[in-house]
Amino acid sequence: MEHDTFHKALEIQDDFCIGCSHCIKVCPTEALRVSGGKALLYAEWCIDCGRCFRVCPSRAIRVVDDDLDDILSYKYRVLLVPAVFYAQFEKKVPPGVINDILGDMGFSEICTVEQSADTLVEEINAYVRKAPAKPVISSFCPAVIRLIQVRFPSLIDHIMLLLPPIEVTAQYYVKKWQNSGGDPSELGVFYLTPCIAKIAAVKSPVGGYESPINGVINMDYVYNRVLHAFKNKKYPEQGKGTEAVNDAISSRGLRWPLTGGEASQIEGRALAIDGMTNVMDFLEKLEDEEIEEPIDYLELRGCDESCAGGILVQGNRFLVADNLRAEAAAAKDTHPLTGQYKQFCSASIKMDAVEPRSMVKYDKDINVAIKKMEAARMLRKILPDIDCGACGAPSCEALAADIVRDDASLNNCIFMQARFEKEGSLLVGEAIDLMEKVWGKDRFVNKEKDN
Amino acid sequence: MKLEYDVAAGDFTRAGFASSSIKKALKQLGVSPAVVKRVVIAVYEAEVNIVAHANGGRITADIEPDGINVVLADTGPGIPDVEKAMQKGFSTASKEVREMGFGAGMGLPNIKENADSLRIETEVGKGTTLYIYIKF
Ligand code: SF4
Ligand code: SF4
């Protein structure tokens, strides 16, 4: 099946976009441009990392999540809650109350996502021992998987073909429901997500897998709802909540979403790297064959401080991470459901090979691509190489590629414009027209004079 | 399309710059990952050799629609016994290998394994030039 990973997780809302170009500068795959005064997305290059969302000053990037009201079309509604969700709240908001409020919002059962970590860790260790391509790269962070698909296709066979915890946990609850004779159509499984990458991962998973998760709910939104209910004391009296709670989790599970949470539990030489720039640097090195001493396992996370720094997580990432660590230190190293998880899930924990999604930077036909690349290299020589972004492209290199693909013109570069004007080949009026095409008409109106 | 790089002797911080840039270009052209990998292994190995054992050199990559030619020319000790250097056991910097040219022949078998063709021109006391060809 052809999966459309990109549009689903985020959307640029033209009404709010002011074309400020903040987003184009942070995108790890240079998938954004400013054109006509609005941000424009090359959807097939987007890896759903959410960096653009993080820096957008006017909230023009919308998370395409599911509506909370949609849950009501299912009779029994399971909410899978990642451990970071609870770690965002101050201690005075007890987890029991949080669960009651979630129950009040319509969920029948509240379960912790990282319950599956204990089973998974054994499977991973067995997998790593046998893996032909080392280092094995964790399948945990969907933004990293997509980064590899798009930018590091040669490393694709390093991706671990085991499902991430969220899918294993989802399967567990589906099977539990089926085993108890429940009607499959009555069960709705929902995931409270800390990031948009995981929305994309659920809606269009890789590795020939269909997720049993029926909807993905925005953690930021739910955090606010819970806090609001708490502050206004709108929650059931203690012990009167109607939801079932399945919060079994071990210290291993609690650490899992943090940086080092996986690597520290994997046998052999395992490294943990967080932050998109760090991850890209490391993958570049790996691809360049520059790492001599063998590595067995790589835990790579797109966000600084991993999921504690997820874009839909509220609060300071270091505080959230510290809260989780403290919780982990107080927890047992195993939990009562581990046996059942093993029984229910170990057969269905595998996924198929992940397909590359290589960027076509110049052309699909290598004859044409070489010509275009040569042309782009010539252009690079005359472009100023200061990556100012005024042309609407994130870098001079990106503009050069856009020009040879006919997506932009050399005149978009303000330095080139100045030069052409000086040489008399471009009139000031024409230069303004060109700039208006990139940045929109409004930007070139003298607002002071108008008032 | 021609890409050219100067390689400075002893600059390990930048060793790998040429192979990494060549890799980047091949990726952007859509060359298959498996081929890119072979190019990287072969060129990186040869590039590090220049940094480690020669007095500097020059790398020229010529990318054509059907394959890549990489010429790595250095001024350096040269390889006294190419045949010996091509034997697998000599891929490490053993004392013997070092004696036969400060390890300049190191990794040759590995380069050969990854290349579709490898030609070596070498003169003791003057330098070595490797001609690597890899098909797309
Ligand atoms: S989500 Fe990430 S990859 Fe996609 S456009 Fe935004 S910054 Fe770029
Ligand atoms: S580190 Fe966690 S929160 Fe951040 S993108 Fe990856 S999975 Fe999402």
Side-chain angles (χ1 to χ4, degrees):
Chain A
M1 188 198 322
E2 192 67 287
H3 276 306
D4 201 7
T5 34
F6 354 102
H7 314 279
K8 288 186 179 110
L10 65 83
E11 192 177 84
I12 298 157
Q13 307 177 88
D14 279 356
D15 292 352
F16 295 101
C17 177
I18 54 170
C20 66
S21 86
H22 286 61
C23 59
I24 68 173
K25 291 281 188 183
V26 298
C27 177
T29 57
E30 300 200 319
L32 289 157
R33 301 290 182 275
V34 174
S35 179
K38 305 289 170 200
L40 197 86
L41 179 68
Y42 286 123
E44 67 276 23
W45 293 356
C46 171
I47 58 165
D48 308 290
C49 70
R51 276 180 139 193
C52 52
F53 176 93
R54 215 189 273 278
V55 299
C56 177
S58 65
R59 293 182 162 242
I61 295 169
R62 192 176 84 83
V63 179
V64 186
D65 46 11
D66 289 304
D67 206 324
L68 200 53
D69 293 341
D70 293 351
I71 68 169
L72 297 172
S73 52
Y74 298 89
K75 196 161 161 219
Y76 195 79
R77 304 172 284 267
V78 172
L79 181 65
L80 306 178
V81 185
V84 284
F85 181 70
Y86 298 99
Q88 303 168 92
F89 294 93
E90 289 173 24
K91 293 219 171 49
K92 64 178 191 236
V93 194
V97 173
I98 297 175
N99 288 336
D100 285 346
I101 298 172
L102 293 173
D104 252 12
M105 284 167 65
F107 293 101
S108 331
E109 187 168 345
I110 316 291
C111 316
T112 342
V113 167
E114 293 83 358
Q115 276 171 4
S116 48
D118 305 65
T119 313
L120 204 51
V121 94
E122 285 177 29
E123 298 274 349
I124 296 178
N125 275 319
Y127 181 99
V128 173
R129 259 176 255 134
K130 281 187 280 174
K134 297 254 181 90
V136 171
I137 298 177
S138 166
S139 59
F140 177 85
C141 176
V144 169
I145 299 303
R146 281 159 171 70
L147 176 77
I148 294 173
Q149 283 182 292
V150 171
R151 279 203 47 182
F152 300 95
S154 70
L155 298 175
I156 212 131
D157 52 356
H158 290 257
I159 296 173
M160 178 171 71
L161 300 179
L162 296 179
L163 293 172
I166 172 62
E167 295 299 339
V168 180
T169 307
Q171 286 192 27
Y172 171 82
Y173 284 98
V174 170
K175 287 200 185 121
K176 198 175 140 199
W177 178 258
Q178 285 166 357
N179 288 358
S180 66
D183 174 352
S185 69
E186 289 185 342
L187 173 74
V189 179
F190 300 90
Y191 173 48
L192 193 57
T193 184
C195 67
I196 67 163
K198 286 195 165 134
I199 301 180
V202 168
K203 303 273 169 180
S204 29
V206 295
Y209 175 75
E210 290 293 323
S211 176
I213 296 170
N214 303 92
V216 186
I217 313 286
N218 184 329
M219 187 182 283
D220 173 30
Y221 171 74
V222 172
Y223 171 84
N224 281 304
R225 282 271 306 255
V226 169
L227 203 59
H228 190 261
F230 179 78
K231 298 245 171 198
N232 292 291
K233 300 228 157 21
K234 282 200 192 126
Y235 51 87
E237 255 176 68
Q238 211 191 340
K240 294 253 171 78
T242 53
E243 77 287 352
V245 176
N246 231 326
D247 57 359
I249 189 162
S250 70
S251 58
R252 308 170 133 206
L254 287 163
R255 285 197 187 97
W256 204 262
L258 296 173
T259 305
E262 280 173 80
S264 60
Q265 305 187 51
I266 306 304
E267 294 155 16
R269 187 177 185 214
L271 266 67
I273 298 166
D274 62 2
M276 205 39 105
T277 316
N278 297 333
V279 167
M280 283 192 291
D281 283 353
F282 201 86
L283 291 176
E284 202 79 50
K285 252 192 167 347
L286 191 64
E287 201 183 45
D288 287 347
E289 302 279 331
E290 282 183 32
I291 299 167
E292 285 178 25
E293 310 268 315
I295 299 171
D296 295 297
Y297 192 75
L298 284 177
E299 166 200 316
L300 305 176
R301 310 277 177 87
C303 300
D304 293 336
E305 291 294 311
S306 296
C307 301
I311 58 164
L312 303 175
V313 174
Q314 291 307 304
N316 181 284
R317 58 176 60 134
F318 298 102
L319 296 174
V320 174
D322 186 61
N323 286 346
L324 252 186
R325 252 178 249 123
E327 242 183 275
K332 297 213 171 72
D333 2 321
T334 174
H335 67 77
L337 297 181
T338 311
Q340 277 191 31
Y341 262 91
K342 221 181 199 157
Q343 211 183 323
F344 282 19
C345 303
S346 49
S348 48
I349 224 163
K350 302 209 163 53
M351 58 182 187
D352 295 345
V354 180
E355 294 294 322
R357 227 176 77 192
S358 315
M359 311 171 77
V360 179
K361 190 150 174 160
Y362 295 104
D363 202 279
K364 281 206 168 112
D365 176 348
I366 189 156
N367 291 285
V368 183
I370 289 178
K371 290 211 177 83
K372 288 196 172 167
M373 183 185 255
E374 264 181 314
R377 290 172 66 85
M378 293 291 287
L379 288 172
R380 286 290 300 284
K381 289 193 183 135
I382 51 172
L383 290 172
D385 241 352
I386 58 171
D387 298 345
C388 66
C391 58
S395 62
C396 297
E397 188 186 349
L399 177 67
D402 288 357
I403 295 172
V404 299
R405 274 201 324 270
D406 280 335
D407 287 345
S409 123
L410 190 53
N411 294 333
N412 287 130
C413 170
I414 51 169
F415 288 81
M416 285 297 123
Q417 282 172 23
R419 194 163 138 188
F420 294 151
E421 267 170 45
K422 207 165 131 199
E423 290 166 359
S425 55
L426 186 77
L427 301 173
V428 180
E430 288 171 341
I432 291 178
D433 280 351
L434 286 168
M435 280 286 103
E436 279 180 353
K437 274 200 195 128
V438 177
W439 298 102
K441 286 220 184 304
D442 298 350
R443 266 196 202 256
F444 298 92
V445 177
N446 188 337
K447 290 180 185 127
E448 271 163 43
K449 232 192 231 160
D450 286 353
N451 294 335
Chain B
M1 182 175 49
K2 262 207 167 68
L3 308 172
E4 287 174 291
Y5 310 90
D6 283 320
V7 183
D11 188 354
F12 287 96
T13 332
R14 274 177 68 86
F17 179 80
S19 52
S20 184
S21 311
I22 294 169
K23 172 201 79 178
K24 199 175 156 204
L26 295 181
K27 275 169 74 180
Q28 291 181 349
L29 290 171
V31 175
S32 94
V35 173
V36 175
K37 196 169 182 162
R38 283 167 50 214
V39 175
V40 170
I41 296 175
V43 179
Y44 179 68
E45 188 91 60
E47 185 180 359
V48 171
N49 268 350
I50 299 180
V51 174
H53 310 296
N55 310 320
R58 192 167 178 75
I59 299 179
T60 315
D62 197 359
I63 306 175
E64 296 291 332
D66 50 3
I68 180 171
N69 271 300
V70 190
V71 180
L72 301 102
D74 71 43
T75 49
I79 309 167
D81 189 342
V82 176
E83 232 166 82
K84 216 168 183 190
M86 291 299 281
Q87 287 166 17
K88 278 224 162 141
F90 286 89
S91 60
T92 50
S94 66
K95 189 167 165 264
E96 218 179 335
V97 173
R98 263 181 277 126
E99 272 165 7
M100 46 180 259
F102 302 101
M106 273 173 61
L108 280 181
N110 196 19
I111 297 173
K112 194 177 158 70
E113 222 159 83
N114 285 285
D116 287 306
S117 89
L118 168 67
R119 190 159 62 84
I120 305 167
E121 277 170 15
T122 184
E123 197 176 327
V124 175
K126 286 232 164 103
T128 303
T129 303
L130 301 188
Y131 300 85
I132 298 172
Y133 176 72
I134 294 174
K135 265 207 302 283
F136 293 159

